[in-house]
Amino acid sequence: MNMAPPSGQDRIMICGPKTDGAYIVEFRIADGEALAISVPGGEARVLKHFQARMPYGLVVPDAA
C-alpha cells in the first residue's frame, strides 16, 4: 500500500473496508515512515464517519 504524501507532507489515510471488513488507518510522515493500524469492521463506525468526509485523506500542516 503506497500512499506517499504529496510534496513531502504528513498525511493520515483511512482505507477500507477490506475483504474481511477491517479498515486500515495509516499515519505517514513526510520522510516516508509510516504506522498502520488495523481496525475490525465491527469497531469502525467512527472511521466510516471520517472516511466519508475525507475520502482523499487528511494532510497535516506543519505547525512549527
Side-chain angles (χ1 to χ4, degrees), residues 17-24 38-42:
K18 304 297 180 193
T19 56
D20 64 357
Y23 284 74
I24 304 294
S38 179
V39 179

Side-chain angles (χ1 to χ4, degrees), residues 7-38:
S7 306
Q9 296 176 323
D10 299 336
R11 187 170 190 161
I12 301 169
M13 292 288 299
I14 301 171
C15 305
K18 304 297 180 193
T19 56
D20 64 357
Y23 284 74
I24 304 294
V25 180
E26 182 183 66
F27 301 87
R28 183 173 294 270
I29 58 177
D31 69 4
E33 188 174 347
L35 169 67
I37 301 170
S38 179

Side-chain angles (χ1 to χ4, degrees), residues 33-60:
E33 188 174 347
L35 169 67
I37 301 170
S38 179
V39 179
E43 299 178 20
R45 182 170 176 257
V46 171
L47 294 179
K48 292 175 189 177
H49 172 86
F50 282 102
Q51 184 184 43
R53 287 155 179 79
M54 53 181 221
Y56 303 106
L58 177 66
V59 174
V60 182

